Amino acid sequence: MTQQEPGRTAADPATVGTVPRTPAQRSRTFTGILVNTALANITTSYLWFALTFWLYLGTRNVIATGVVGGAYMLLIALSSISFGTFVDRYRKLAVMRFAAGFTLVMFVLAGVMFLLTPAASLLDLGRPWFWLFTLVILVGAVVENLRNIALSTTVTILIEPDRRANANGLVGMVQGLMFIVTSLLSGLSVGLLGMGWTIAVALVLTALAAAHLLTLRMPEEERVAATDAHGGFDLRGSFKAVLAISGLFALILFSTFNNFIGGVYMALMDPYGLEMFSVEMWGAVFAFGATGFIIGGALIGKFGLGSNPLRTLLLAVAAMGVLGAVFTLREWAWLYILGIWLYLVLVPFVEAAEQTVIQRVVPLPQQGRVFGFAMAFESAAAPVTAFLIAPIAQFWIIPYARSAEGSAVLAPLLGEGTSRGIALVFLVAGIIMVIAALLAFLTPVYRRVSASYAEAPAGAGAAG
């Protein structure tokens, strides 16, 4: 590999524009893309959180929130290979603009449906309007994830290799800001404005994000990088790109550990919180907890991930399991809030570690498909647990925990309260997470992935 000239981009030479820019200039462009993605993610999450709150308050059924949350992750899993293929085949800004326009159309359609359909029909799980309305919002939110895959590749194009871990930490900070804003505003919006005005606000914000995206330019990608991606669903190419790097598939498996407990949280965290707090207060509580995202991202932005990001990832996953096991041992508001906050401090470490390894060891022309494959594989874990745990909790665990016999059995370990069944699920899931993460340290693939990262040249991911 030849050494780059000062000021040249770290990206694949096929994507470099005719006028090279300094690292500071490229960093400003990345900041603009990051801010725009933050606005777009805030919008979709705002509407998504509001929909979850609205559905549970209208039905008081954890199956509704579990199935809808699981369906969201399942759609991401099914679409991510295609998303990664398109990111490799087309310029990143073009992909982002397409995603923004498509999401805007879906949210407009959802608004029309809300205006024309009685609320009672939209909240009736036995009628098609509930599923159609939810699906339209789901699809709009899922397509927005196309931007997140493209964002990960822009880190490779615009950021110097030794600063990519820090840039990935900034992405974590943006995600934290997204959760703070959306969880707070979604709860207040549903509680004070209602679902109709919530959709209207989402439409305005989506339109603003799409308009701002049209003003951004990335001359480093004058044309798309040469790639072997073809068609709209290059599963074979995605799998080939993953297997080409020793231990990369194992890295994706390691990251999936986090999504196991994520599916449990998806199904049961909102019901647990909404039983403890009002919808407005629950939004504020989750907003405070989400400041942990910013702290975690800021720590990575300042200090990086250490010499072995994979070791950092597994330690974070093990700590997440401990938190998941203990933060509902008693139905204490302060314990729940503290547990959420600490858990969200760790999330950026898991995500940034995986992204940093991929950006270093995978060539840019294959990165979109690798990121898409990773998102598909990891996202598939959450709906499995969500679909399984929601009906089990609704029909067996929660009724048992609330019965006289179940309450007596669980009281010594979990205390007394209306949500002891959910606490039992969190405890078991957390213990499994800890065991899985600790066992991963003992596997040969852990040593192979660590060695692959250490041996890869710093700028390898940018090479064509």
Side-chain angles (χ1 to χ4, degrees), residues 36 143 316:
N36 183 270
V143 170

Side-chain angles (χ1 to χ4, degrees), residues 21 91 131 161 206 232 281 302 350 385:
R21 297 192 300 163
R91 288 181 297 176
W131 301 105
T206 303
M281 182 58 70
K302 177 67 174 178
V350 175
T385 51

Side-chain angles (χ1 to χ4, degrees), residues 29-359:
T29 299
F30 174 73
T31 300
I33 294 173
L34 186 62
V35 169
N36 183 270
T37 303
L39 178 58
N41 287 347
I42 284 172
T43 303
T44 54
S45 296
Y46 162 74
L47 186 56
W48 175 246
F49 272 64
L51 177 67
T52 303
F53 296 162
W54 184 68
L55 290 179
Y56 181 74
L57 293 173
T59 63
R60 293 289 174 177
N61 191 325
V62 298
I63 293 180
T65 57
V67 169
V68 169
Y72 172 74
M73 298 303 294
L74 183 60
L75 285 174
I76 291 178
L78 293 175
S79 60
S80 293
I81 298 296
S82 289
F83 289 172
T85 302
F86 282 113
V87 167
D88 279 343
R89 290 186 59 195
Y90 301 100
R91 288 181 297 176
K92 308 333 176 211
L93 279 180
V95 169
M96 291 181 171
R97 289 166 181 162
F98 167 80
F102 188 93
T103 299
L104 180 60
V105 171
M106 289 295 101
F107 287 177
V108 168
L109 182 57
V112 172
M113 289 186 63
F114 188 86
L115 290 175
L116 299 180
T117 309
S121 297
L122 290 178
L123 288 170
D124 187 347
L125 276 66
R127 295 191 179 186
W129 301 115
F130 168 86
W131 301 105
L132 186 58
F133 176 69
T134 302
L135 181 63
V136 168
I137 296 178
L138 273 175
V139 170
V142 166
V143 170
E144 188 60 42
N145 280 279
L146 181 59
R147 294 167 58 101
N148 295 325
I149 296 177
L151 176 64
S152 295
T153 63
T154 64
V155 173
T156 306
I157 295 173
L158 295 171
I159 304 299
E160 299 300 303
D162 60 348
R163 296 293 301 171
R164 286 175 190 161
N166 307 83
N168 290 325
L170 294 178
V171 173
M173 288 183 63
V174 165
Q175 291 174 337
L177 178 63
M178 173 191 72
F179 274 106
I180 292 172
V181 173
T182 57
S183 58
L184 179 60
L185 293 185
S186 295
L188 292 174
S189 188
V190 171
L192 301 177
L193 300 179
M195 192 64 185
W197 281 108
T198 298
I199 295 175
V201 172
L203 282 173
V204 172
L205 293 176
T206 303
L208 287 175
H212 175 250
L213 192 59
L214 295 176
T215 68
L216 298 177
R217 297 291 183 269
M218 195 165 74
E220 284 76 15
E221 198 181 29
E222 185 179 67
R223 57 191 179 277
V224 67
T227 180
D228 59 349
H230 57 83
F233 187 83
D234 189 11
L235 176 60
R236 181 179 180 181
S238 302
F239 197 59
K240 181 179 178 181
V242 170
L243 293 182
I245 307 297
S246 176
L248 186 58
F249 186 71
L251 170 63
I252 295 172
L253 286 177
F254 291 154
S255 299
T256 305
F257 289 161
N258 177 48
N259 289 56
F260 172 80
I261 200 168
V264 176
Y265 287 162
M266 179 190 305
L268 301 177
M269 181 176 281
D270 282 334
Y272 190 95
L274 290 170
E275 290 292 341
M276 185 178 292
F277 307 100
S278 67
V279 63
E280 295 91 346
M281 182 58 70
W282 170 235
V285 165
F286 204 82
F288 170 77
T291 61
F293 255 124
I294 293 183
I295 299 300
L299 290 172
I300 301 170
K302 177 67 174 178
F303 301 107
L305 293 166
S307 60
N308 187 350
L310 181 55
R311 180 176 58 240
T312 303
L313 183 153
L314 288 178
L315 288 173
V317 169
M320 287 168 137
V322 172
L323 291 170
V326 304
F327 81 141
T328 55
L329 285 180
R330 291 294 185 272
E331 199 167 337
W332 297 337
W334 69 266
L335 180 62
Y336 194 49
I337 295 170
L338 179 62
I340 292 173
W341 187 84
L342 291 173
Y343 179 88
L344 294 180
V345 168
L346 296 171
V347 169
F349 285 87
V350 175
E351 297 179 349
E354 180 186 25
Q355 291 170 356
T356 301
V357 172
I358 291 175
Q359 287 159 355

